[in-house]
Amino acid sequence: MSQPNPKIKMMQGNVACAEGAIAAGCRFFAGYPITPSSEIAETMSLKLPALDGNFIQMEDEIGAMGAVIGSSLVGVKSLTATSGPGFSLKQENIGFAAIAEIPVVIINVQRGGPSTGLPTKPAQGDVMQSRWGTHGDHPAIVLCPSSVEECYFMTIRAFNLSEEYRTPVIVLSDEIIGHLTEKITIPHHSDIDIINRLKPQSDPENYLPYENTETYIPAMANFGEGYRYHVTGLVHDETGFPTNDSKKIEEQLTRLYNKIEKNHDKIIDVSEYFCDDMDTLIIAYGAVARSAKQSMLKARQEGHKVGLLKLNTIWPFPEKQIVKLCQNIKRIIVPEMNFGQLAHEIEWATRRAIPIIKYNKINGEPITPLDIYNILINRK
Amino acid sequence: MDYLNYLRKDKMPHIWCDGCGHGIVLKSILRTVDKLGWDKNEIALISGIGCSSRTPGYVDFNTLHTTHGRALSFATGIKISKPKMHTIVVSGDGDATAIGGNHFIHAARRNMDINLIIFNNNIYGMTGGQCSPTTPTGKFASTSQFGNPDSPFDISRLAEAAGASFVARSTAYHFAKTDKYIEMAFRKKGFCVVEVLSPCPTAYGRRNKSTGKVGHEMLKDQKENSVPIERARKMKPEELKDKYITGVFIDRDVPDYFEHYNEVKKRAKLK
Ligand SMILES: Cc1ncc(C[n+]2csc(CCOP(=O)(O)OP(=O)(O)O)c2C)c(N)n1
Ligand code: SF4
């Protein structure tokens, strides 16, 4: 039998996110238009109906977030996409998905902020919001694509992670990547690994939707499958009903935390370039990682020992992966399109043992390879 | 019928105060479900936040207690992705028409196939009696100690104007009518709203003695001051002051969301 062929295409980053979602099995999209994310909604509205899926343009981002949670609860993988202002509006319901442990994927194509900010210009200002945007203590998984191909594969991975860990997962894209068109190789769908939520084995009478299992991840019954359980944003015990019992509260919130915390090694994903031969380490993510790679390659051609750590997931924070690379280096360069949101975490992770040069651009212009190259060469 | 077939006995006692109307409305919902013989596995009962929104916790369906005001959006996702599910939303007046007002009018505009039962007590019960969008002008609340300066919404007229298939108003006192309207709503496609006036002696009655202070007085007030809509249409606005207009506001056969979206799917597949 011949191998099914991969398809080579030119595609926009936002479209690739939508295509990735469909490949992951997403059959419901709810959203509200906002630049620079709207192509995701438009693509979903185009593709889903013919696949017997459903697209709905909601009245606002809060409603869109609610709708995707409802849809996932009946067993249909669901996506919403937005940018800064809409991401702010979604936060309360993202917290709901976190505590009720409903798998959903949220794509935030970042633009400049705060507030209405810079609708058509890139930024990475939502690094912290993607981690701490909703109130309360909760786990977060955030992926950062830096190419069109990564838009596709990271959206698939976001769905897989959300299903595996029963949690909302955020794809933190940005205006540059979202609106970039480049080559993408799409594998045959039989070559794509898909993970689906764990279904309960117990009968409905004994089903505990929030059971404290060894893996910390309880099995999830979909509404309508005979399990008739209760889902609430109130802190609940293993049965799903609200509790004020401090022991139960601690048990459940700790489990929620542990299910991500204890699986860092499986969730965190970074790419190292020339990290075994460097005195300078660039740490970058999203669009900036592309520029960082270019500048690194140029500097290396000229004999400078520069390595790059590209963060494919920024949350959970890849502390171990960063610390490991900090043994014999002289400096770290952290270019970001914000005032240093992740650099701050890196300073903390490295205990400031190594000088960190922050390069921050917040004027709506991209960070270019030359920007980073100049720092590599001119800043000691 | 045996209500216990539908209740989660181990979740009793409920949180509702003596004289609260919410339990009366719940019983109407359960009687109707029983009458229609719906399979409990195929019912999703969804709420926001409030005293009324605690209802799902007590009932043996697929139950979802969401964020304040947002129940209709969650319900929209449920209904679209599982159209077979009987999708019932219960909501307070604050939940449905203040923080959730936008979802409310848009669910009506789309004529989404959802049944919304609003427990309207003219006040924020759960948080201790602040003004709601249905607190009448001049009435008292913990945030309007000198009389409410705002004008209230007429929920049923709002739902009608926004495009719902079916809209009716009843009171906790008129439980038989409530049963009838809920049944009409449950049998009908599209967005169906039943607004039930539900006494809140704790947060409203105590402060607004005109309606009675305790539950049974407030029920009596509903009995004495309700006017069927047919009669109200012939009355002057002055005559309708402090009256509760009850009855079917609209019952129309218009395409619901799914009729339209199924056309979209057909057209998409032809492409
Ligand atoms: C976003 C948000 N804002 C405010 C609250 C606080 N809150 C809880 S219930 C409620 C009002 C409930 O009133 P209503 O919907 O009329 O229901 P009732 O309690 O009267 O049945 C408010 C304001 C909340 N839970 N969430
Ligand atoms: S405060 Fe009012 S609405 Fe809430 S339970 Fe008591 S009587 Fe009912």
Side-chain angles (χ1 to χ4, degrees):
Chain A
M1 229 171 68
S2 65
Q3 277 298 104
N5 285 334
K7 269 190 252 155
I8 296 175
K9 286 188 170 179
M10 289 294 284
M11 197 179 276
Q12 192 208 49
N14 280 341
V15 174
C17 281
E19 293 286 354
I22 289 169
C26 169
R27 290 295 178 271
F28 180 76
F29 181 98
Y32 188 83
I34 185 166
T35 306
S37 78
S38 294
E39 294 85 0
I40 302 176
E42 287 161 357
T43 307
M44 294 306 265
S45 81
L46 191 66
K47 298 276 166 125
L48 282 176
L51 297 167
D52 270 322
N54 291 280
F55 166 91
I56 185 165
Q57 182 171 318
M58 290 297 284
E59 50 277 13
D60 57 32
E61 288 86 348
I62 306 172
M65 194 61 220
V68 292
I69 295 171
S71 166
S72 178
L73 198 48
V74 295
V76 175
K77 290 185 190 175
S78 301
L79 173 71
T80 186
T82 188
S83 185
F87 194 52
S88 294
L89 289 180
K90 286 183 192 294
Q91 293 299 335
E92 187 192 9
N93 282 344
I94 292 176
F96 184 93
I99 195 171
E101 299 178 69
I102 315 287
V104 281
V105 175
I106 303 111
I107 301 176
N108 174 7
V109 187
Q110 294 169 96
R111 64 192 220 180
S115 190
T116 310
L118 297 163
T120 61
K121 290 191 183 287
Q124 295 177 312
D126 304 348
V127 166
M128 282 296 163
Q129 196 190 15
S130 69
R131 175 64 191 89
W132 298 111
T134 186
H135 56 283
D137 227 335
H138 61 95
I141 300 179
V142 181
L143 286 64
C144 262
S146 64
S147 68
V148 169
E149 211 153 79
E150 284 184 352
C151 284
Y152 184 83
F153 288 106
M154 283 193 189
T155 305
I156 295 174
R157 178 154 197 253
F159 273 99
N160 285 346
L161 289 167
S162 75
E163 292 283 319
E164 183 171 2
Y165 294 100
R166 274 190 74 172
T167 192
V169 173
I170 292 162
V171 177
L172 197 61
S173 181
D174 56 60
E175 192 277 335
I176 296 173
I177 300 303
H179 283 162
L180 172 74
T181 296
E182 64 182 359
K183 193 182 88 173
I184 171 173
T185 307
I186 296 183
H188 190 266
H189 68 86
S190 60
D191 291 329
I192 297 173
D193 287 331
I194 300 295
I195 297 175
N196 294 314
R197 61 193 69 170
L198 185 70
K199 297 307 256 323
Q201 302 299 317
S202 63
D203 47 45
E205 283 68 48
N206 298 315
Y207 175 54
L208 292 172
Y210 299 97
E211 190 178 6
N212 198 357
T213 63
E214 256 170 44
T215 62
Y216 310 105
I217 308 158
M220 179 172 174
N222 299 325
F223 271 16
E225 292 177 339
Y227 284 80
R228 295 205 307 273
Y229 63 107
H230 188 57
V231 177
T232 175
L234 286 164
V235 175
H236 39 264
D237 63 16
E238 66 278 13
T239 65
F241 288 92
T243 182
N244 277 318
D245 176 340
S246 53
K247 258 181 70 186
K248 296 270 182 195
I249 295 169
E250 185 168 335
E251 180 186 302
Q252 284 295 320
L253 292 182
T254 308
R255 180 181 61 71
L256 205 62
Y257 180 77
N258 277 343
K259 75 175 178 181
I260 305 302
E261 197 65 18
K262 301 281 183 196
N263 285 303
H264 275 190
D265 289 346
K266 288 204 273 181
I267 298 168
I268 291 172
D269 178 34
V270 297
S271 307
E272 293 179 13
Y273 301 90
F274 299 105
C275 287
D276 41 14
D277 172 35
M278 63 173 176
D279 56 31
T280 298
L281 170 64
I282 310 174
I283 302 178
Y285 53 93
V288 179
R290 299 170 76 92
S291 300
K293 199 167 168 189
Q294 289 305 313
S295 55
M296 174 204 64
L297 291 173
K298 184 167 155 60
R300 283 197 81 86
Q301 272 174 3
E302 295 167 4
H304 303 283
K305 288 190 178 291
V306 184
L308 168 66
L309 182 68
K310 176 162 104 55
L311 309 181
N312 303 321
T313 51
I314 57 167
W315 305 111
F317 185 68
E319 184 187 353
K320 235 171 59 184
Q321 289 73 1
I322 290 171
V323 170
K324 187 194 86 181
L325 296 179
C326 289
Q327 304 312 316
N328 296 309
I329 58 172
K330 295 208 188 83
R331 57 179 184 162
I332 300 173
I333 297 173
V334 188
E336 291 181 273
M337 292 188 285
N338 58 42
F339 278 114
Q341 294 192 13
L342 213 65
H344 201 74
E345 292 293 303
I346 295 166
E347 282 184 332
W348 159 81
T350 58
R351 310 291 187 270
R352 294 195 172 148
I354 296 154
I356 293 178
I357 301 172
K358 295 186 216 172
Y359 180 72
N360 307 110
K361 216 181 220 189
I362 43 73
N363 61 2
E365 293 298 321
I367 293 180
T368 63
L370 190 62
D371 289 334
I372 302 173
Y373 175 81
N374 283 337
I375 294 182
L376 281 171
I377 302 306
N378 300 328
R379 292 266 302 265
K380 291 293 162 224
Chain B
M1 69 167 281
D2 186 358
Y3 293 101
L4 291 179
N5 284 340
Y6 297 94
L7 293 173
R8 289 171 170 148
K9 282 158 275 208
D10 56 326
K11 300 303 165 215
M12 298 296 151
H14 55 68
I15 63 157
W16 295 320
C17 309
D18 285 354
C20 177
H22 290 353
I24 302 176
V25 190
L26 169 59
K27 285 176 81 175
S28 283
I29 296 174
L30 296 184
R31 277 193 298 274
T32 311
V33 166
D34 190 71
K35 182 169 178 194
L36 297 184
W38 282 357
D39 179 349
K40 292 195 276 188
N41 290 319
E42 290 180 5
I43 304 173
L45 186 68
I46 303 132
S47 71
I49 300 290
C51 296
S52 36
S53 287
R54 284 302 184 99
T55 305
Y58 304 128
V59 184
D60 184 24
F61 304 144
N62 301 284
T63 55
L64 174 60
H65 178 227
T66 72
T67 44
H68 191 26
R70 316 300 174 195
L72 280 171
S73 67
F74 287 68
T76 295
I78 287 180
K79 187 69 192 181
I80 291 181
S81 283
K82 203 172 183 76
K84 207 174 75 170
M85 190 76 91
H86 301 295
T87 307
I88 309 167
V89 172
V90 291
S91 194
D93 40 299
D95 196 62
T97 65
I99 192 163
N102 204 27
H103 308 304
F104 176 57
I105 54 174
H106 286 275
R109 172 179 66 87
R110 292 187 190 103
N111 207 18
M112 189 56 68
D113 190 17
I114 290 173
N115 298 296
L116 170 65
I117 318 293
I118 299 182
F119 298 33
N120 180 3
N121 57 14
N122 308 101
I123 202 87
Y124 285 4
M126 173 140 275
T127 41
Q130 298 81 8
C131 270
S132 98
T134 62
T135 306
T137 312
K139 296 289 181 189
F140 300 99
S142 70
T143 47
S144 64
Q145 311 239 9
F146 307 105
N148 178 22
D150 291 356
S151 300
F153 268 142
D154 181 324
I155 294 181
S156 288
R157 286 179 56 211
L158 181 61
E160 180 187 346
S165 268
F166 176 85
V167 181
R169 183 189 288 135
S170 181
T171 79
Y173 175 81
H174 299 92
F175 63 88
K177 268 195 185 166
T178 308
D179 286 18
K180 187 173 125 196
Y181 298 153
I182 292 179
E183 183 180 342
M184 289 169 85
F186 282 7
R187 286 185 187 279
K188 202 170 176 78
K189 282 252 162 267
F191 193 60
C192 298
V193 181
V194 180
E195 176 192 355
V196 188
L197 306 182
S198 176
C200 171
T202 307
Y204 192 87
R206 269 191 311 149
R207 289 193 183 87
N208 292 283
K209 300 176 182 65
S210 59
T211 55
K213 270 193 290 195
V214 292
H216 67 87
E217 288 172 6
M218 293 180 82
L219 289 173
K220 194 159 156 261
D221 170 62
Q222 291 185 335
K223 176 187 173 198
E224 285 166 2
N225 289 303
S226 291
V227 180
I229 189 165
E230 298 75 17
R231 183 139 47 89
R233 286 199 178 110
K234 295 179 202 132
M235 289 165 69
K236 298 197 190 80
E238 312 86 76
E239 295 174 304
L240 286 169
K241 197 172 173 300
D242 294 329
K243 300 285 181 209
Y244 312 116
I245 301 173
T246 59
V248 176
F249 282 62
I250 191 86
D251 183 358
R252 56 188 156 198
D253 291 314
V254 283
D256 76 337
Y257 177 82
F258 289 100
E259 257 181 71
H260 291 300
Y261 199 77
N262 288 338
E263 286 303 313
V264 167
K265 284 183 176 167
K266 273 193 215 151
R267 290 196 291 271
K269 284 174 190 168
L270 287 177
K271 267 212 150 184

